[in-house]
């Protein structure tokens, strides 16, 4: 049993997006747990056992901010961030220990490092284009005298994907979160529906050319060092 702990204090967009690469039921992740859905240990263990019985292995994506039915964080630390939020982390290790103790299955947890936030080779063409657009429009709006707003991205269509910019008042978006709609989450509360994938898939786009060039260079170097 492998548990991947993803960022997501109040919303599970990143965690849910791990399902984009799935093609069939054996593909990971087999279970997804989001902050939007109340979490119970009993149901979690039953889900894991059922998936393990069916496949012989289980990969789980879990948001760091999952909460029990009373709204309490499953794990938290005693320190806070600059916004006064309790620092999160450790839910993956906690769940892996539960699986080992209660189900007698080998389990481990992993947490992606900060490199996931900054690695240019992981940026899609959509990431790069929209980052440029936001910066460009930020300068334009500022020169026009707008203040107290955040540049927003306004989706025009899903297929083909089209997006433009807008302005959002800071008092409506600062220190706020946009939850995943309930109809994007499956009835069992342990995975996402096709509606979710329709929404997020265009944002992944294609690998950036930086990554393509890097991959080509790496392959050429390996073939030179280890000719087939």
């Amino acid at each position: 049993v492998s548990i991947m702990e993803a960022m997501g204090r109040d919303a599970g967009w990143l965690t849910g997006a791990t399902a984009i690469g799935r093609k069939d039921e054996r593909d990971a992740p087999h279970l997804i747990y989001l902050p939007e859905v109340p979490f119970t240990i009993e149901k979690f263990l039953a889900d894991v056992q059922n998936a393990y019985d069916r496949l012989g292995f289980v990969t789980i994506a879990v948001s760091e901010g999952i909460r029990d039915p009373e709204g309490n964080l499953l794990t938290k630390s005693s320190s806070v961030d600059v916004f006064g939020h309790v620092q999160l982390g450790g839910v993956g290790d906690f769940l892996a220990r539960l699986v080992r103790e209660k189900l007698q299955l080998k389990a481990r947890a992993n947490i992606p490092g900060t490199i996931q936030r900054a690695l240019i080779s992981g940026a899609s063409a959509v990431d790069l284009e929209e980052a440029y657009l936001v910066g460009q429009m930020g300068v334009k709006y500022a020169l026009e005298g707008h203040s107290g707003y955040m540049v927003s991205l306004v989706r025009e269509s899903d297929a083909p994907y089209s997006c433009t910019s807008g302005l959002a008042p800071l008092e409506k978006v600062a220190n706020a979160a946009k939850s995943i709609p309930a109809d994007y989450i499956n009835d069992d509360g342990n995975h996402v529906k096709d509606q979710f994938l329709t929404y997020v898939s265009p944002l992944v786009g294609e690998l950036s050319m930086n990554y393509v060039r890097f991959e080509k260079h790496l392959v050429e170097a390996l073939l030179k060092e280890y000719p087939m």
Side-chain angles (χ1 to χ4, degrees):
V1 177
S2 176
I3 300 174
M4 183 66 71
E5 179 181 331
M7 293 184 292
R9 175 185 300 275
D10 299 305
W13 294 100
L14 287 176
T15 310
T18 60
I20 289 176
R22 294 196 79 208
K23 301 302 180 185
D24 59 53
E25 74 160 354
R26 292 186 64 82
D27 290 338
H30 310 107
L31 298 169
I32 295 176
Y33 296 97
L34 312 169
E36 289 84 353
V37 180
F39 182 93
T40 65
I41 291 175
E42 295 76 15
K43 184 177 185 305
F44 167 75
L45 293 173
D47 288 346
V48 173
Q49 187 66 65
N50 288 337
Y52 184 83
D53 290 344
R54 187 175 70 254
L55 301 171
F57 64 100
V58 191
T59 300
I60 303 165
V62 57
S63 293
E64 61 184 357
I66 56 174
R67 291 168 167 80
D68 65 21
E70 286 70 49
N72 301 308
L73 289 165
L74 210 62
T75 61
K76 60 182 179 180
S77 72
S78 57
S79 58
V80 298
D81 62 18
V82 294
F83 296 102
H85 298 146
V86 174
Q87 294 278 43
L88 302 182
V91 69
D93 287 329
F94 172 74
L95 295 177
R97 187 169 64 251
L98 275 177
V99 170
R100 291 193 297 267
E101 294 175 354
K102 302 296 184 181
L103 301 181
Q104 302 299 303
L105 296 174
K106 182 178 179 181
R108 65 179 61 189
N110 296 283
I111 302 178
T114 53
I115 196 171
Q116 66 176 315
R117 310 185 190 193
L119 191 65
I120 188 62
S121 64
S124 71
V126 175
D127 287 327
L128 301 177
E129 291 167 5
E130 293 186 350
Y132 186 87
L133 172 65
V134 168
Q136 183 183 47
M137 298 308 296
V139 173
K140 177 179 181 295
Y141 290 136
L143 291 175
E144 292 175 352
H146 296 284
S147 181
Y149 293 89
M150 183 186 79
V151 178
S152 62
L153 294 170
V154 182
R155 182 176 301 209
E156 296 179 318
S157 65
D158 290 326
Y161 175 70
S162 176
C163 180
T164 187
S165 68
L167 284 175
L170 285 180
E171 64 268 19
K172 291 188 175 182
V173 296
N175 203 26
K178 180 179 180 179
S179 298
I180 297 177
D183 59 354
Y184 281 14
I185 304 170
N186 72 351
D187 293 339
D188 286 334
N190 59 15
H191 221 286
V192 293
K193 291 183 179 179
D194 289 342
Q195 294 97 308
F196 176 92
L197 298 177
T198 298
Y199 182 86
V200 301
S201 293
L203 303 179
V204 175
E206 297 179 358
L207 291 173
S208 72
M209 287 308 297
N210 283 335
Y211 181 78
V212 173
R213 284 193 292 266
F214 169 77
E215 187 179 55
K216 182 175 182 290
H217 173 76
L218 179 61
V219 171
E220 289 174 348
L222 288 172
L223 288 176
K224 183 178 181 180
E225 185 72 19
Y226 307 102
M228 297 179 67

